[in-house]
Each structure stands twice: as structure tokens, then as C-alpha cells.
Amino acid sequence: MSKPRWRRAHKGDLEAISAIATRIHPDLPERPEVLSEKMRLYPDGCRVLAIANEIAGYGLAHPWMRQHIPPLDGFLERLPQAADCLYLHDVAVLPDYRGGVARAYVTEIEQIARSSGITTLALVSVYGTRVLWERLGFHPVAADAALHDKLSSYGATATYMLRELGR
Ligand SMILES: CC(C)(COP(=O)(O)OP(=O)(O)OC[C@H]1O[C@@H](n2cnc3c(N)ncnc32)[C@H](O)[C@@H]1OP(=O)(O)O)[C@@H](O)C(=O)NCCC(=O)NCCS
């Protein structure tokens, strides 16, 4: 079997991305048009894990503001002009293809952030993935009241995390 590799997502990948999202996140549903908006607004951060002609996973990221998170299943409308972080909206990979691929995606995202002058990565950890993200250099950050309210739409264990990239 050839090795899965991350590549930039194309419009035609939306159906596969949406199918994986539905399978992996049955309790956190998002409309395909909400996912495709991110691909349109920030194609650099939106990748699929390709293996032969199949899609085994996806990662969606876009510039955003620290301490702010887009509502689940909500449109971004536009990217902030003064973004101060690259926000990893989601990474999801089919079980058979896991093992090192989240690390590889984050490495790519880190390079994109650095080349755009962004020095912080942000995400919301769900399903108790906090330890996994800590292995990738993220740390939990206390949420202010507004962020705390928004986190609740991501489930009870949702934790806001940042990773400073340094120089
Ligand atoms: C999150 C997901 C993409 C990770 O994929 P993966 O290929 O298994 O991730 P990696 O192997 O690159 O893991 C990164 C690091 O976390 C570690 N790790 C993986 N799973 C872990 C777990 N359950 N608990 C603790 N650490 C874990 C890995 O060992 C690795 O560390 P290392 O490189 O130092 O060994 C995959 O598990 C998935 O699709 N999960 C369901 C969707 C999901 O939860 N997405 C995240 C939403 S916030």
C-alpha cells in the first residue's frame, strides 16, 4: 500500500471530506457548505490525506484571532485583517490511516503560519484529545467568559489550546 500524504484540498474533495466528518464527528455535525467556505477562504490551510485515489482524512485551518473561536457549523464570512493565530478547525483521519499523520499536518500548518508571519497556532481540543495536542506542543489556555460560552457548543471536554511557534 502506498503511503498516505497530505495535499491541498480541491473543490472535488468536498464530498469525501464531508463523509469523513459525518462519520468521525456524528455529535458535532457541520454542513458541507460550512466546510467548503473554509476551503475557499483559506485553501493553503485545507488539506486532505490522500492515498492512491482515496481520501483518508482532512485538516482545515485558517487565520483567526486568539481567544475567539468560530461557532460550530457557522460561517466565517471573512478572515480577520489582523489575524494573530492560525486556527486548526479540525483534523480527522479514518482509523486505519492514523499514526503520525496529525503530526505531519501540524508541521505543514506550522510552515504556512511562519511564512505568513503568524507565530501562534490555536485549536479546540475535543473528545479528550488534550494529551495528543500536548504532544504536538499545544498547551491549554484559560478561557475568558465569552470564549467559555462558545466552547460549550464543542462538547463538555472542549479545551482551548495554543502553541507558540517562537522564532
Ligand atoms: C486526531 C487524529 C487526527 C490524530 O491522528 P494520528 O495520526 O493518530 O496522530 P499522530 O500519531 O500524529 O499523533 C500526534 C502525537 O500524539 C500522540 N497520540 C496519538 N493518539 C494519542 C492519544 N489517544 N492519547 C495521547 N497521545 C496520542 C502520538 O503518539 C503522537 O506523538 P509522538 O509523535 O510524540 O509519538 C486522529 O486520532 C483522529 O482523526 N481522531 C478523531 C478526530 C479528532 O479527535 N480530531 C481532533 C479534534 S480536536
Side-chain angles (χ1 to χ4, degrees), residues 124-142:
V124 174
S125 153
V126 296
Y127 314 137
T129 50
R130 178 173 154 169
V131 176
L132 181 155
W133 294 115
E134 283 175 342
R135 300 265 321 167
L136 295 176
F138 289 80
H139 58 91
V141 173

Side-chain angles (χ1 to χ4, degrees), residues 18-139:
S18 195
I20 293 171
T22 303
R23 176 169 162 193
I24 306 272
H25 298 301
D27 298 328
L28 301 172
E30 291 197 291
R31 289 163 288 168
E33 52 270 35
V34 167
L35 303 174
S36 69
E37 186 208 34
K38 293 176 175 58
M39 293 158 65
R40 181 172 56 77
L41 288 177
Y42 199 66
D44 275 355
C46 297
R47 312 218 154 204
V48 289
L49 187 69
I51 175 138
N53 292 325
E54 303 294 323
I55 303 297
Y58 65 84
L60 305 175
H62 57 81
W64 208 241
M65 304 300 290
R66 273 180 275 184
Q67 289 283 332
H68 292 266
I69 55 170
L72 192 68
D73 196 37
F75 290 103
L76 303 178
E77 309 289 352
R78 68 190 69 81
L79 298 179
Q81 281 191 339
D84 62 7
C85 65
L86 201 57
Y87 178 77
L88 275 68
H89 174 74
D90 188 18
V91 191
V93 174
L94 295 175
D96 286 352
Y97 300 93
R98 293 177 191 169
V101 292
R103 184 175 281 283
Y105 175 72
V106 171
T107 300
E108 294 193 14
I109 287 303
E110 178 184 343
Q111 283 161 1
I112 292 166
R114 284 181 190 282
S115 63
S116 341
I118 291 177
T119 57
T120 304
L121 303 182
L123 57 78
V124 174
S125 153
V126 296
Y127 314 137
T129 50
R130 178 173 154 169
V131 176
L132 181 155
W133 294 115
E134 283 175 342
R135 300 265 321 167
L136 295 176
F138 289 80
H139 58 91

Side-chain angles (χ1 to χ4, degrees), residues 137-157:
F138 289 80
H139 58 91
V141 173
D144 61 26
L147 177 58
H148 189 267
D149 284 350
K150 288 187 182 148
L151 277 173
S152 58
S153 72
Y154 285 80
T157 63

